[in-house]
Amino acid sequence: MAVTETETEERVIRYNEAFTETLQELMREDPDIFIAGEDVGRYGGVFQSFAGLNAEFGDERVVDTPIAEQAIIGLGIGAAAMGLRPIVDLMFMDFVMVAMDQIANQAAKMKYMYGGKASLPLTITTTAGAGLGAAAQHSQSLEAWLIHVPGLKVVYPSNAYDLKGLLVSCVRDDNPTIITLHKKMLGSKAHVPEGLYEIPLGVANIVRPGTDVTVVAIGKMVDEAKKAADILSEEGIDIEIIDPRSLLPFDTETVVQSAKKTNRIVIVHEAVRNGGIGAEIAAQIQEEAFDYLDAPIARVGAPFSPVPFSPALEMSYVPSAESIIEGVRGVLHRIA
Amino acid sequence: MATKIQMPKLGLTMTEGTITEWVAAPGQVVTKGSVIMTIETDKVQEEVEADGDGILFHSAEAGDTLEPGEIAGWLLAEGESPPDGGELIVAASSQPEEVVSLQEPQEDHTPISHTETEDVEAAPPVTATAAVGRILSSPNARRVAAELGTDISTVAGSGPGGRITSEDVEASPPVTAPLVPPVLDEAKVEERRLVPFAARIAAERLGVAVAEVIGTGPEGRVSRQDIYNYARSTGSKKIPASSSPSQKVEGERIPIKGMRGIIAERMHSSLQEMAQLTLTMDVEMDRTIALREQLKDIGAEELGAVPGYTDFVIAAVAQALREHPGANSQVDGNDIVLLEQINIGMAVAVPDGLVVPVIHGTDFLGLPEIAQETTRLATAAREKKLSLAEMEGGTFSVTALGMFGVDAFTPVINPPNAGILGVGRIRDDVRWEGEQPVRVKRMMISLTWDHRVLDGAPAAEFAATIKNLLEQPLRLLG
């Protein structure tokens, strides 16, 4: 399933294109699927992630909505409860607060409240992350808020290949799912096969096997971790990179197995450290693998501050390969 | 398990009782039903019997008044300390009813336990395990140590603040056989079969699945023999033929190399090349103890360091060597060379062995200077920071095992020296002054010397000089 570089004549496309193509292929396959969101129709989405879909499937299946996030999610919940398979888009994850009641109180709990009789095959797509100079209200990473809600599934693909497989699984899942794209990764390229394939939710990917330190990296941080791995390998430090892919359900088993192997963990996410998903992962690891730890579990994340607008500050705000290297050295107790 | 001896409640109105007498002495072995103390209340006198068997420990003195239920003392098992503090000093002999004595608070003993006292601080510690408080170690380090059978207190930590990591444990040799079996896979755990560790280890070595072996022991217990029989029946080539004379010894293997290799080589050649023999002699330590108390009162600030007992011994040895140059010598070819310098080496136990740093020009140093030097060298030894110069040039050695409750032993000479002095613990003893027994503190010294250099009489005279110096320790201040 993992991308291998030895395949010949690989089709390499952008993260953003993989998203559009997957929606297109899914909609061709299943007439119950429709898309609703701000600017997703005629305009093709603020990042052109929905380009061409309105032209192919029409206004009925690719719906432009008013600027009303609560209504957009509510529309999706109602349609899903009535048997359709909606994909609703939150242009920026920062807008999730406006719709949080719909997500946490309605979508996540409907099946539970109706004794399992309501199924809710709803997919929410959104974009997160800093790096585009979009300032404090359009750059946040808020996945930790979502994983606190029982009844949701939350995924965060780190590359175009995973994006396609995870999006297919989300849309085909009969429960509410949220898939987060990273704005800064929209142009990143990877090999993506034509046709639909699934990556199961709740299964982590060992991106790079290693022996010295496990780096659990979320979303865009997987790329930074790979850069860190290359630099560290020159010093003889061999890190293992794990991309959880699904944040909820979380593949604790894979991470714990890795912790037992390397005995040292660094968790890296772009969100602020305080109350971040790193805290939850760290807690689970120490519950399962306390006796295998040689150092306190380290968390690398953004400082506890809004995302700065100044490009220079923003660059230093977002965790990078350098900050991951620092984290790895910290758990190894080694100074460069 | 320690059993409490409580002030009994004799009737509803009793609010307190006074211990009138301890019938049984502290350290005495008492049996259930024997009278251990008498008490009195405002109404009655009563004898209190032991609830069980054990070694008696007094928490309260005769004359103390206690409320019913308050603890007057303890019945302890051998080697046990009272749970509420205090320390039981047991002589090395295995006949507890004769040799058990009590340590009184604030009194200077060399404790047999590893508890660190200020004495140990001042004396050069011979072991790194005496540290008090929590040993910083990672959970994984503790797990690995348990699996390898390594005493984690002997491992030097390389992590932040000296935290011991699993790598540190792996780099440190195990001191005992594994305490726990290798981690078993879940399938094996699920079997819940009676398989002793030895059998499991044998099975692992031979590649035998324990589940397939039929146990012949009680309740189907699978013995090691069962594993061997099964392996033979299946034609395993790994099975050692029991008749083979070249059978490899079973057990964990620790290569003799590094520091262990050096110790092994030097000690073995020492015993092969020299004509070693050992004498022991008792030394009364009361005056040294008293002098040390005075030095303690003056304090480290003024003195530089308060000497420990081993420092007194080193100072005494240095002076005695001046009077007995034969003991400060070495054999070179066909000659005995009487050495000009007196450089006393002191044995310091370190996590993976033993080093003997040298106090150069010991006879020119005052007691506090010796104390400062021994403390510095012991610290450097444990931190592996000794320079080669600090390890070379020794002309005689001192080694102490008193803190382990040892009285006498046969130290092995550190070549090319001609002698080594062992220092025992300080213990309570009795001196008869006419018909009157007097309590004294004694310490045994164990002198090993090379008979090629020195005969018994001069060796005994040398030991007696050391004894006299320690019994009149003001001479050491000169």
Side-chain angles (χ1 to χ4, degrees):
Chain A
M1 205 128 75
V3 183
T4 58
E5 288 171 7
T6 52
E7 284 176 35
T8 50
E9 293 185 34
E10 282 178 345
R11 194 182 66 123
V12 173
I13 60 172
R14 292 189 296 125
Y15 190 82
N16 206 15
E17 288 169 348
F19 181 76
T20 317
E21 175 186 279
T22 308
L23 294 176
Q24 184 185 43
E25 289 174 2
L26 283 165
M27 289 178 81
R28 284 177 185 166
E29 181 190 79
D30 184 349
D32 286 341
I33 296 172
F34 74 94
I35 298 168
E38 295 160 9
D39 286 336
V40 299
R42 302 291 171 87
Y43 185 60
V46 68
F47 299 113
Q48 292 300 298
S49 316
F50 301 89
L53 297 178
N54 180 269
E56 179 174 348
F57 300 104
D59 290 342
E60 292 273 300
R61 293 187 70 195
V62 185
V63 184
D64 275 323
T65 65
I67 303 175
E69 284 78 10
Q70 174 151 301
I72 298 169
I73 305 295
L75 158 76
I77 294 168
M82 296 311 294
L84 296 177
R85 199 165 283 272
I87 297 165
V88 291
D89 184 59
L90 283 174
M91 188 188 289
F92 291 93
M93 191 179 222
D94 312 69
F95 307 159
V96 76
M97 293 76 124
V98 183
M100 206 58 178
D101 178 65
Q102 286 298 316
I103 294 171
N105 270 331
Q106 307 306 327
K109 294 186 177 60
M110 194 167 276
K111 187 167 188 171
Y112 179 81
M113 295 297 286
Y114 293 114
K117 288 182 180 165
S119 75
L120 217 70
L122 169 72
T123 299
I124 301 170
T125 59
T126 191
T127 61
L132 294 186
Q137 296 160 318
H138 296 77
S139 302
Q140 296 171 84
S141 299
L142 301 173
E143 64 276 2
W145 292 4
L146 301 172
I147 64 156
H148 193 59
V149 182
L152 296 179
K153 294 181 182 179
V154 182
V155 305
Y156 200 156
S158 69
N159 60 73
Y161 177 89
D162 285 353
L163 167 57
K164 186 167 191 178
L166 290 168
L167 180 56
V168 172
S169 293
C170 283
V171 173
R172 288 179 179 168
D173 199 290
D174 284 341
N175 298 289
T177 56
I178 302 175
I179 183 164
T180 305
L181 280 58
H182 196 290
K183 295 189 279 287
K184 190 84 169 144
M185 291 184 64
L186 295 172
S188 71
K189 288 178 180 175
H191 160 62
V192 180
E194 283 179 85
L196 297 172
Y197 56 91
E198 290 184 19
I199 291 175
L201 306 184
V203 178
N205 181 28
I206 299 172
V207 177
R208 179 190 194 279
T211 55
D212 296 334
V213 175
T214 299
V215 175
V216 180
I218 312 246
K220 183 172 178 296
M221 289 301 119
V222 174
D223 274 348
E224 298 299 319
K226 284 186 197 165
K227 287 183 213 162
D230 290 342
I231 295 166
L232 288 167
S233 72
E234 287 170 18
E235 299 172 21
I237 299 171
D238 185 20
I239 69 171
E240 175 151 308
I241 302 172
I242 296 185
D243 173 7
R245 300 194 286 206
S246 293
L247 308 184
L248 190 68
F250 185 79
D251 186 355
T252 306
E253 177 63 19
T254 297
V255 174
V256 164
Q257 284 309 321
S258 179
K260 288 184 177 177
K261 182 172 78 170
T262 64
N263 315 120
R264 290 177 170 87
I265 314 286
V266 175
I267 302 161
V268 50
H269 52 60
E270 189 181 313
V272 296
R273 266 164 50 100
N274 198 54
I277 187 175
E280 174 61 30
I281 297 171
Q284 293 195 21
I285 293 170
Q286 62 86 18
E287 282 167 358
E288 303 282 330
F290 178 76
D291 285 327
Y292 292 82
L293 296 178
D294 265 325
I297 299 166
R299 291 178 295 154
V300 174
F304 197 48
S305 135
V307 181
F309 179 54
S310 147
L313 288 179
E314 187 181 30
M315 197 186 286
S316 81
Y317 174 92
V318 177
S320 60
E322 286 71 34
S323 41
I324 295 170
I325 288 168
E326 205 176 308
V328 168
R329 290 214 174 99
V331 296
L332 282 169
H333 192 46
R334 284 184 209 172
I335 295 133
Chain B
M1 228 197 69
T3 312
K4 288 178 200 166
I5 302 163
Q6 290 165 307
M7 177 60 65
K9 189 166 171 70
L10 308 169
L12 285 173
T13 58
M14 175 174 166
T15 56
E16 59 181 32
T18 303
I19 302 171
T20 46
E21 189 194 352
W22 278 105
V23 178
Q28 188 176 330
V29 175
V30 297
T31 51
K32 189 175 177 175
S34 61
V35 175
I36 49 176
M37 64 174 176
T38 58
I39 58 158
E40 67 179 359
T41 69
D42 53 352
K43 294 191 179 68
V44 292
Q45 279 209 345
E46 190 78 25
E47 290 182 334
V48 178
E49 297 175 352
D51 269 346
D53 302 339
I55 299 168
L56 184 61
F57 178 83
H58 295 182
S59 297
E61 305 279 327
D64 287 357
T65 300
L66 308 175
E67 286 176 20
E70 269 194 82
I71 292 168
W74 294 87
L75 290 175
L76 305 172
E78 203 174 336
E80 196 173 37
S81 293
D84 60 351
E87 196 155 38
L88 200 63
I89 300 302
V90 182
S93 159
S94 60
Q95 295 164 299
E97 59 275 15
E98 287 174 18
V99 295
V100 172
S101 70
L102 262 187
Q103 182 182 29
E104 285 164 21
Q106 306 302 320
E107 203 163 350
D108 276 324
H109 277 266
T110 307
I112 62 158
S113 74
H114 290 206
T115 315
E116 189 169 74
T117 67
E118 52 179 322
D119 293 353
V120 177
E121 248 171 76
V126 297
T127 170
T129 62
V132 287
R134 190 168 167 78
I135 296 167
L136 289 179
S137 57
S138 78
N140 195 38
R142 289 193 289 277
R143 182 185 64 83
V144 172
E147 277 179 18
L148 297 178
T150 301
D151 177 0
I152 202 144
S153 64
T154 66
V155 179
S158 67
R163 183 196 289 139
I164 299 162
T165 65
S166 59
E167 290 90 343
D168 298 330
V169 174
E170 280 157 4
S172 175
V175 290
T176 57
L179 301 175
V180 296
V183 178
L184 305 167
D185 63 39
E186 282 173 20
K188 282 186 190 165
V189 173
E190 273 172 15
E191 288 164 23
R192 296 188 189 286
R193 300 190 61 193
L194 294 165
V195 187
F197 296 157
R200 282 192 194 280
I201 290 163
E204 212 157 85
R205 286 223 182 97
L206 297 170
V208 169
V210 177
E212 293 171 15
V213 181
I214 295 159
T216 58
E219 295 175 65
R221 188 184 294 266
V222 178
S223 70
R224 194 164 55 169
Q225 200 55 45
D226 293 335
I227 303 281
Y228 283 153
N229 291 343
Y230 178 87
R232 265 195 208 98
S233 70
T234 56
S236 167
K237 290 208 170 69
K238 290 182 190 167
I239 184 84
S242 52
S243 58
S244 161
S246 62
Q247 183 174 355
K248 233 186 167 191
V249 182
E250 289 258 347
E252 192 189 1
R253 285 175 176 268
I254 301 155
I256 299 177
K257 60 176 191 185
M259 188 186 291
R260 178 96 331 254
I262 293 166
I263 294 168
E265 196 272 319
R266 286 179 67 86
M267 291 297 102
H268 188 229
S269 74
S270 169
L271 288 174
Q272 277 189 322
E273 288 166 15
M274 295 189 206
Q276 293 187 26
L277 66 167
T278 303
L279 66 75
T280 64
M281 191 177 278
D282 253 338
V283 180
E284 286 192 10
M285 290 296 282
D286 299 80
R287 284 180 176 165
T288 292
I289 291 167
L291 176 57
R292 181 163 178 271
E293 284 306 310
Q294 289 178 37
L295 292 173
K296 256 162 93 174
D297 289 343
I298 295 168
E301 208 167 300
E302 192 176 328
L303 292 172
V306 176
Y309 294 118
T310 309
D311 298 323
F312 278 91
V313 175
I314 289 170
V317 168
Q319 268 194 42
L321 285 172
R322 272 193 178 168
E323 296 175 32
H324 302 269
N328 196 56
S329 64
Q330 79 180 57
V331 173
D332 184 24
N334 290 324
D335 302 325
I336 294 167
V337 184
L338 303 180
L339 301 169
E340 285 170 9
Q341 293 182 357
I342 293 175
N343 304 327
I344 296 186
M346 58 168 196
V348 179
V350 294
D352 33 11
L354 170 83
V355 291
V356 187
V358 175
I359 306 150
H360 287 272
T362 319
D363 54 334
F364 290 108
L365 299 178
L367 249 181
E369 290 168 314
I370 290 175
Q372 271 177 290
E373 186 66 357
T374 55
T375 307
R376 184 186 72 77
L377 290 171
T379 306
R382 274 168 298 159
E383 289 171 358
K384 299 185 179 173
K385 287 180 182 160
L386 285 174
S387 67
L388 197 57
E390 286 167 331
M391 311 246 276
E392 284 181 342
T395 60
F396 191 91
S397 316
V398 170
T399 177
L401 287 180
M403 55 286 289
F404 298 107
V406 171
D407 283 325
F409 57 112
T410 58
V412 176
I413 293 171
N414 188 26
N417 296 174
I420 183 168
L421 189 82
V423 183
R425 82 193 157 110
I426 296 174
R427 66 188 197 281
D428 282 335
D429 211 343
V430 171
R431 181 175 64 219
W432 290 95
E433 293 185 351
E435 291 301 302
Q436 196 62 33
V438 177
R439 176 162 150 159
V440 292
K441 299 282 188 188
R442 287 212 171 99
M443 182 184 81
M444 210 172 272
I445 53 175
S446 305
L447 174 68
T448 296
W449 75 98
D450 185 351
H451 214 318
R452 295 179 302 171
V453 174
L454 219 55
D455 295 329
E461 284 168 11
F462 170 56
T465 303
I466 297 169
K467 172 189 164 86
N468 292 338
L469 286 166
L470 288 169
E471 291 182 349
Q472 296 180 325
L474 284 175
R475 289 174 171 181
L476 298 174
L477 297 180

